[in-house]
Amino acid sequence: MFHPAPRQLQVIKAAVFVAALLPLARLVWFGFADRLSANPIEFITRSTGDWTLYFLCLTLAVTPLRRLLQWPWLIKLRRMLGLFCFFYAVLHFTTFLWFDHFFDIGEMWRDVLKRPFIAVGFTAFVLLIPLAATSTNAMVRRLGGKRWQWLHRLIYVIAPLGILHFWWMKAGKHDFAEPILFGVIVAILLGARLYWRFLRNKTPPLRAAPR
Amino acid sequence: MLIKPNPNGTDRPFASEITPREVFESRRQFIQQLALGTISGGALLEMATRQAFAQSATAQKLVAKPNSAYVVVDKPTAYKDATSYNNFYEFGTDKADPAKYAGTLKPSPWTVSIEGEINKPQVLDLDGLRKLAPLEERIYRLRCVEGWSMVIPWIGYSLSALIRKVEPNGNAKYIEFTSLADKRQMPGLGSPVLDWPYVEGLRLDEAMHPLALLGLGMYGEVLPNQNGAPVRVVVPWKYGFKSAKSIVKIRFTRDQPKTAWNQAAAAEYGFYSNVNPQVDHPRWSQASERRIGEDSFFTRKRKTLMFNGYAEVASLYTGMDLQKFF
């Protein structure tokens, strides 16, 4: 049982924050070192997409890990992880809008409507926006805990959409190893929740002892 | 040099517009001298001289005569990009994989078995292939089905020279290319992505078109392993995957060959796979492309040209619905 003191928790949070910025720092560094391959735009698109999925998985892993490790304090990191998932999703989307369409919104919409895998990815991104917007304590208070919780269950819709987007993108290469891996991870993370819920509902209510 | 579009719709320079060789050579020397004394030397040198293309001290030079009828005005792709970013699934599905893992390919000794509906079946070794016709250098555009493109100075000769030599009989309607599939040399073969060996094919009249090239080298040297050493085909008006690499068998057939990508996903990769901006891939648009090394952060993708700009092949498809036969 590890319980960080408030000071320790601050250090842990700072470390996670810095670590979460490393993928971006790496891209910048690669840019200067001419290591973004012959197709830098593709490289950046893929890298930011990958990191969006990594942070999505990390965010969803908080609840099961709290329970398995008996580390309730992990909840203190979840907001930051979720926001980093959104941060990389914004970078990913910006890459697409800028380099694929040069900020031509009309052209972007045609692309979104025409290509299912873009439509799915775009939907997932749009659904992330309200979650990021309501991530502050003040917003939790304004919405009220219950409503806030219901809104944030959108992540259970967003996660499969993100996997599907990745899956369809990879379908071009007939190369499903990575999407399957992500799919399995997300399935386990969501499945664990369902399993525990099922256990909770199965425990019989207490009855009065028979006389 | 102002390039006017040719009346035939291609953007090749007129012969009169091509700089005479002597002038070009002296200009080259001048630029080289300039390059050696400047900061941007690397880039200038790359443009100015073939030496910049040298892949290594051991790379075998291949002497070829430039064929001015087959030169596009686009700037050739940097050797480094052309040899470090491509698809060759026998070495992995990532575009960095071929350059990383193709070192295990042994391009020599090598034989190509030529068989099927021909009067003169034969097995040719590399020497036989290289001596079959005079080697030419041709600068072709290459358009990948994934939406990126390059410009490559290939070395080889028209595939038609080889076809004539083996004398197809009346039954030969198609030509089928089979790539090497040797697990010891090609680590990517363990992946079930495609049914190995890689098979590609053309209709015989397509293969006879002078543009269709039997490729033995690029950038003044023999083909690097990752680009399909030692022998491949280059069909510049079709998407890149139609140009089979590391070929071990050429068969002439009555029936349309069962090509690898068409077998894997018929709805996405047709047998013809001509470059066509009006026919989208089911999952992405083919109307534009990103030219490697040129279209990057601050330039829009460029428009893809019908038949990749090789309009002279249009007559091969007269009366064919290219939406249907994509």
Side-chain angles (χ1 to χ4, degrees), chain A residues 39 42 114 172-173 175, chain B residues 85 87 89 93 280 283 290:
Chain A
N39 195 341
E42 182 185 61
K114 197 165 159 182
K173 285 266 179 186
D175 188 9
Chain B
Y85 183 89
N87 286 309
Y89 275 32
T93 55
D280 283 345
R283 277 175 295 105
R290 178 169 288 131

Side-chain angles (χ1 to χ4, degrees), chain B residues 90 112-114 159 162-163 174-180 197-204 206-208 212-215 231-235 238 241-253 257-260 271:
Chain B
E90 284 85 339
V112 180
S113 167
I114 303 162
L159 185 58
L162 181 139
I163 295 172
Y174 293 91
I175 181 168
E176 177 191 86
F177 306 99
T178 305
S179 300
L180 179 73
Y198 192 87
V199 172
E200 255 310 332
L202 298 167
R203 223 170 50 194
L204 196 56
E206 293 178 314
M208 284 298 290
L213 183 88
L214 189 89
V231 56
R232 61 174 296 169
V233 280
V234 182
V235 192
K238 292 175 180 279
F241 70 88
K242 291 295 296 178
S243 298
K245 301 182 182 82
S246 303
I247 294 169
V248 290
K249 189 164 75 178
I250 298 177
R251 205 162 61 93
F252 291 75
T253 62
K258 292 186 163 40
T259 54
F271 173 77

Side-chain angles (χ1 to χ4, degrees), chain A residues 85-99:
Chain A
C85 169
F86 180 68
F87 173 73
Y88 282 103
V90 169
L91 290 179
H92 186 61
F93 175 75
T94 306
T95 311
F96 160 76
L97 183 59
W98 177 0
F99 300 130

